[in-house]
Amino acid sequence: MTVVEITSESHFNELTTSLPSARPITISFHTPWAAPCTQMNAVFSYLATQYNNVTFLSVDAEAHPEISEIFDVSAVPFFVLIKNGKVVRELSGADPKELSAAIQELSGQQPVVAPAAGVENDEKEETTAEEDLNGRLAKLVSAAPVMLFMKGTPAAPQCGFSRQLVGILRENQVRFGFFDILKDDTVRQGLKQFSDWPTFPQLYVNGELQGGLDIVKEILAEDPNYFKNLQTV
Amino acid sequence: MSGSGIASSHIEAVIRERLNSTHVQVDDISGGCGQAFEVIVVSPLFTGKNVLMRHRLVNAALKEEISAIHAFTQKDYTPEEWEKKQQQ
């Protein structure tokens, strides 16, 4: 299939409302003058030929500011992945590998490779996608010595528990990396399986789950120097 | 997304049944919507387990219930720890 270039907001609305809601959609936001967009446009077009079960739409972000605003696009290239009418992932920047993996996840199918050498069975495909996700999650939880997976960002938390945990880390002067799970549903659901932990926020130290807000509070109640001791590691 | 929520009494019953608890306290902190709970569980099953392990034990026992609600916080004590706490 090929990429459909959006010509107006009504064209966009027409297309998105006429599609069956189960069909995944991905939208690429680009501008003609940004060099990384040219490269990513080519990648996007190629991906469109590989995944027939996904609708690929392309929007010139400056020509259609109303559409850019709907998705809060602040920089290009920018990609939005939609499943069942919900934005499940957003990607910012020019990373062909990341986009390719994200679209494969969205599609849930193996890319069409012409000519097809043979037919892989479905189970094997699913395992590969799952392995990729687990690999990605393993890297994410170790992205910083202290990693916080939260709702929102430290500057703008979107949940009381996340806000409190950020507060505790700051009080203890802990340097931490964070990930906003509201921006990536794949990580949000994947991490629950990966760590066998049902709630957010989740705090990881050296790649190991410590727990959520209530556990961190309990740990500190017993050992107020818990974070200080970590710093020396 | 979760539906109409869960009753505190149901959570209490499940905890007593599945976690050998000697004392259970369940507070609905969602304003009666059955969406957010704060629980205290006292059980000998927690002896020898660190905080994370205790939470995992409770999470496993309440897997279905937790996945149906929005927020869940817990404090877990062994019977001895709870006794001490009462005397403070």
Side-chain angles (χ1 to χ4, degrees):
Chain A
M1 295 220 36
T2 50
V3 176
V4 177
E5 184 68 39
I6 299 292
T7 54
S8 70
E9 197 181 350
S10 47
H11 182 208
F12 177 72
N13 288 332
E14 221 181 274
L15 279 180
T16 47
T17 48
S18 64
L19 292 167
S21 60
R23 188 178 168 83
I25 302 174
T26 175
I27 311 174
S28 147
F29 288 86
H30 60 88
T31 55
W33 45 259
C37 290
T38 322
Q39 181 202 20
M40 292 309 278
N41 285 346
V43 174
F44 199 64
S45 299
Y46 179 61
L47 289 170
T49 64
Q50 290 193 304
Y51 298 98
N52 291 324
N53 68 325
V54 178
T55 296
F56 285 73
L57 303 176
S58 170
V59 177
D60 180 330
E62 283 195 328
H64 306 291
E66 348 65 64
I67 307 181
S68 305
E69 233 182 77
I70 297 174
F71 295 96
D72 209 8
V73 178
S74 51
V76 286
F78 193 81
F79 304 90
V80 178
L81 279 62
I82 297 173
K83 201 158 196 178
N84 294 322
K86 257 178 58 182
V87 174
V88 294
R89 186 117 174 246
E90 292 168 329
L91 291 155
S92 187
D95 187 339
K97 259 177 132 183
E98 193 189 29
L99 180 63
S100 183
I103 302 257
Q104 176 161 20
E105 254 176 56
L106 178 72
S107 157
Q109 291 180 1
Q110 276 291 72
V112 171
V113 178
V119 180
E120 303 270 35
N121 64 47
D122 283 334
E123 261 179 41
K124 190 162 180 228
E125 290 167 13
E126 251 179 53
T127 323
T128 318
E130 205 183 295
E131 279 166 6
D132 286 339
L133 175 60
N134 283 336
R136 181 170 169 233
L137 293 174
K139 280 207 197 104
L140 264 178
V141 301
S142 306
V146 179
M147 264 307 277
L148 177 65
F149 291 80
M150 61 180 290
K151 293 186 173 181
T153 63
Q158 298 295 304
C159 138
F161 294 161
S162 290
R163 178 180 297 110
Q164 282 185 59
L165 192 39
V166 168
I168 290 178
L169 292 172
R170 285 184 171 161
E171 261 167 41
N172 286 272
Q173 290 161 344
V174 182
R175 292 179 59 175
F176 63 98
F178 74 92
F179 188 95
D180 180 357
I181 52 117
L182 294 178
K183 291 270 168 165
D184 191 325
D185 207 56
T186 314
V187 170
R188 181 176 181 172
Q189 302 310 326
L191 211 50
K192 286 185 189 174
Q193 302 289 325
F194 182 82
S195 300
D196 193 17
W197 195 258
T199 51
F200 288 98
Q202 291 184 10
L203 186 71
Y204 291 78
V205 171
N206 297 322
E208 248 179 57
L209 176 69
Q210 302 302 298
L213 176 66
D214 42 7
I215 293 190
V216 173
K217 277 188 185 170
E218 255 188 86
I219 292 178
L220 284 174
E222 315 234 329
D223 177 13
N225 293 319
Y226 176 69
F227 286 116
K228 289 207 193 74
N229 294 338
L230 287 181
Q231 309 285 39
T232 58
V233 168
Chain B
M1 289 297 287
S2 8
S4 51
I6 298 190
S8 299
S9 53
H10 174 75
I11 298 204
E12 204 181 306
V14 171
I15 292 178
R16 284 192 195 281
E17 204 183 288
R18 299 182 192 164
L19 290 168
N20 286 10
S21 46
T22 54
H23 179 81
V24 181
Q25 218 166 286
V26 177
D27 285 314
D28 181 334
I29 55 174
S30 60
C33 295
Q35 290 291 345
F37 293 93
E38 232 172 63
V39 311
I40 296 184
V41 184
V42 182
S43 161
L45 292 182
F46 296 137
T47 313
K49 295 194 168 65
N50 70 16
V51 182
L52 189 66
M53 286 162 72
R54 295 182 186 193
H55 282 232
R56 282 200 186 282
L57 198 60
V58 175
N59 289 349
L62 289 168
K63 195 169 189 169
E64 256 178 56
E65 287 74 12
I66 294 181
S67 63
I69 60 181
H70 178 74
F72 185 80
T73 50
Q74 56 177 296
K75 282 202 168 67
D76 310 316
Y77 303 97
T78 63
E80 298 76 31
E81 287 164 359
W82 184 247
E83 268 305 302
K84 261 197 214 134
K85 216 173 141 60
Q86 301 310 296
Q87 286 159 16
Q88 276 166 3

